Amino acid sequence: MDKFTTLTGVAAPLHLVNVDTDMIIPKQYLKTIKRTGLGTGLFSELRYKEDGSDNPDFVLNKPAYKGAQILIAGDNFGCGSSREHAPWALLDFGIRCVISTSFADIFYNNCFKNGILPIRVTPEQLAALFDDAARGANAKITVDLESQTITGPDGGSISFDVDAFRKHCLLNGLDDIGLTQVKADKIASFEAMLAEDRPWA
């Protein structure tokens, strides 16, 4: 998993509430268990027209937000089913941070496990961030995980809370497998001790 330290870039404003995981990645894309290749299906029902061409009215298709790595979204983002394909699709598209007032618990947890930083802010702070994002390519936002701050294009700063363990994992690029590998020496030592104490096991 890639480390998340500081991210600076254009933030795409998604003025929708109750965005569920089926909207993030529709069910027809769930046939794979690979984490790659799902970016093409991200918000596909909004991004594409019926003929498969890009919908120019959707925010991520607009030139100012091409390549955006930060998503500013409405309340209750990631609700619905527990599919882990949702953060996989966001990450494969290039989104590393999602900011909203609230998230569904399972989606929120899945983001951390896949290298995405979900940030909860107040309604007032979200409104300010939407205003910043509305400026498009002329306004870049910086998310600093170490200092737990979001800095807008005018220098204004917002502080956010994050669980200390999850912060540690993101800063060091540790997913569940990585956490196990960090303890490889202790595991090997325990197995050696076990083999000596219980040779029949």
Side-chain angles (χ1 to χ4, degrees), residues 23 26-27 37 45 55 82 84 90 94 121 127 136 145 189 193 197:
M23 186 181 294
K27 58 184 178 300
E45 294 177 358
N55 173 9
S82 61
E84 196 168 2
L90 286 164
V121 294
L145 179 56
S189 176
M193 180 192 68
D197 290 349

Side-chain angles (χ1 to χ4, degrees), residues 98-109:
V98 182
I99 304 172
S100 178
T101 57
S102 56
F103 296 90
D105 287 343
I106 294 176
F107 174 82
Y108 184 77
N109 294 331

Side-chain angles (χ1 to χ4, degrees), residues 14 25 29 33 44 46 72 78 82 84 91 97 103-104 122-123 136 154 160 166 174-175 198 200:
L14 185 65
I25 184 72
Y29 295 94
I33 57 171
S44 65
L46 299 172
I72 313 293
S82 61
E84 196 168 2
L91 189 63
C97 178
F103 296 90
T122 67
D154 297 329
F160 62 88
R166 287 169 167 167
L174 298 173
D175 57 12
R198 302 178 185 179
W200 62 88

Side-chain angles (χ1 to χ4, degrees), residues 137-199:
N138 295 321
K140 291 189 176 181
I141 291 173
T142 296
V143 177
D144 188 325
L145 179 56
E146 183 65 52
S147 64
Q148 296 178 208
T149 56
I150 305 167
T151 305
D154 297 329
S157 183
I158 294 171
S159 297
F160 62 88
D161 294 326
V162 62
D163 175 79
F165 175 71
R166 287 169 167 167
K167 176 180 178 178
H168 168 78
C169 290
L170 281 179
L171 286 172
N172 293 281
L174 298 173
D175 57 12
D176 288 348
I177 294 174
L179 283 167
T180 302
Q181 291 174 333
V182 166
K183 299 176 181 178
D185 290 344
K186 290 183 179 179
I187 294 171
S189 176
F190 174 79
E191 289 179 339
M193 180 192 68
L194 196 65
E196 184 176 339
D197 290 349
R198 302 178 185 179

Side-chain angles (χ1 to χ4, degrees), residues 42-89:
L42 181 71
F43 296 119
S44 65
E45 294 177 358
L46 299 172
R47 281 173 61 201
Y48 307 120
K49 295 181 178 180
E50 288 186 6
D51 63 3
S53 62
D54 287 351
N55 173 9
D57 295 326
F58 185 61
V59 62
L60 293 177
N61 288 335
K62 294 182 178 180
Y65 301 108
K66 288 282 188 180
Q69 293 181 284
I70 303 168
L71 188 66
I72 313 293
D75 306 339
N76 196 29
F77 190 85
C79 58
S81 70
S82 61
R83 65 189 70 169
E84 196 168 2
H85 292 70
W88 291 355

